Amino acid sequence: MPALAITTVDYHTAGEPFRIVTGGVEPLRGATILDKRRDAAERLDHVRRLLVFEPRGHADMYGCHVTEPNDQGADLGVVFFHNEGYSTACGHGTMAIGTWALESGRIELREPETRVVVDVPSGRLECVARCAGGRVESVRFRNVPAFVLARDVEIAGITMDVAFGGAFYACVEAPAHGLTVEPRRLPELIALQRELRPAIEAQIDVVHPLEPELNGVYGVIFFQAETGDTFTQRNVTVFADGEVDRSPCGSGTSARLAVLHERGDLAVGDELRHLGVVDTEFRGRIVAASDLAGRRAVVTEIEGSAHLTGRHEFVLADDDPLGAGFLLR
């Protein structure tokens, strides 16, 4: 007999998987999304492990719990999870959850555009879905203010900028350090990310000025100019415990826009064509300059497309010796 049976709907956004819990799990508790995030970690972490870990998932799996929003100003709330725990932001997941909410009928789909408001741990995101033929063609979300925390930080011979785009990222120009953004270099990029994360946190205080729970280096973005033009770049983001983002990384794109604006490369109104390691793309645009607790910040919009990949029921049998699973990497 199954000890646990959980249903999900799976999407990919620009190649990056996203597993949405739709049944078999009791609601998360708490008044806010941050409260619910803590509840998921403390009380329901076996669900994350079951859906992310092998043999039902893999080291690069991503997913979420769908929750009630913080208040009636939003349509739904989301708590994201991955191989290490629970992230504060996920751009590709936001695009997938907006697509799922409309295509599943949870929110009425209207053409040519439908507005969806989502509460995530980093804040409230205004999303707009472009719709045609009863389907969602793309989702763009207006992110929380993005800002540069530190410029030209040097650690272990690597120079980087540290920026916030919903989570904190270190941005490393790959060619400047003899690296390239391509699949064959992933093992060394993963190893470098695992080395850099704790070293950065030992050197600088990585914490949001308004919300202490938004802290720590989530990922390292390895980027390169694609055409000698700052308006097109390629990146691979390695985050959590060596997890590789197949998409161009939505919250990471916001962080990159903050860095490019700070350095004078992109102005308000400019758009970045951001490519990922599997040749998919997001479009990121700076829509306004902002201020965040005395820091220069930017408001960004990121757009991409999500596609349905499957509907599943994952079962944990009561005699399964592997329990919720394992990770080999």
Side-chain angles (χ1 to χ4, degrees), residues 306-320:
H307 301 274
L308 179 68
T309 61
R311 298 179 177 89
H312 309 280
E313 180 182 60
F314 292 99
V315 173
L316 173 60
D318 56 12
D319 61 348
D320 188 335

Side-chain angles (χ1 to χ4, degrees), residues 55-99:
R56 299 164 189 85
H58 51 80
D60 299 303
M61 178 54 68
Y62 217 117
C64 81
H65 295 282
V66 182
T67 77
E68 293 299 313
N70 287 336
D71 56 52
Q72 294 182 349
D75 296 299
L76 51 87
V78 184
V79 171
F80 303 113
F81 54 74
H82 48 70
N83 74 5
E84 189 179 53
Y86 301 84
S87 59
T88 59
C90 178
H92 92 274
T94 299
M95 296 170 192
I97 203 75
T99 302

Side-chain angles (χ1 to χ4, degrees), residues 66-252:
V66 182
T67 77
E68 293 299 313
N70 287 336
D71 56 52
Q72 294 182 349
D75 296 299
L76 51 87
V78 184
V79 171
F80 303 113
F81 54 74
H82 48 70
N83 74 5
E84 189 179 53
Y86 301 84
S87 59
T88 59
C90 178
H92 92 274
T94 299
M95 296 170 192
I97 203 75
T99 302
W100 166 80
L102 295 173
E103 292 186 344
S104 69
R106 181 174 177 129
I107 298 171
E108 183 182 358
L109 184 152
R110 294 186 176 90
E111 299 179 10
E113 292 188 339
T114 307
R115 177 175 174 266
V116 181
V117 182
V118 183
D119 282 338
V120 305
S122 59
R124 177 160 291 176
L125 306 182
E126 301 268 350
C127 306
V128 176
R130 290 196 299 109
C131 308
R135 300 284 299 278
V136 176
E137 294 185 332
S138 70
V139 173
R140 69 179 184 272
F141 67 92
R142 181 163 293 198
N143 205 1
V144 297
F147 63 91
V148 176
L149 180 70
R151 281 179 56 172
D152 298 321
V153 177
E154 186 168 336
I155 295 175
I158 305 291
T159 302
M160 68 199 75
D161 300 315
V162 179
F164 179 84
F168 284 101
Y169 296 90
C171 301
V172 176
E173 186 175 6
H177 301 286
L179 302 166
T180 54
V181 177
E182 53 185 327
R184 69 182 182 88
R185 305 300 293 269
L186 288 177
E188 57 194 300
L189 297 178
I190 291 168
L192 184 55
Q193 181 259 3
R194 285 172 161 164
E195 177 186 352
L196 289 176
R197 277 182 81 198
I200 296 165
E201 293 176 356
Q203 184 164 315
I204 63 175
D205 190 19
V206 183
V207 62
H208 194 280
L210 299 180
E211 176 49 71
E213 199 163 333
L214 306 180
N215 63 71
V217 176
Y218 177 51
V220 177
I221 301 172
F222 299 97
F223 70 91
Q224 64 191 37
E226 185 67 5
T227 61
D229 161 11
T230 56
F231 297 105
T232 302
Q233 294 188 355
R234 182 178 297 273
N235 91 96
V236 61
T237 299
V238 185
F239 64 95
D241 183 15
E243 188 161 343
V244 176
D245 197 333
R246 275 74 171 155
S247 83
C249 188
S251 54

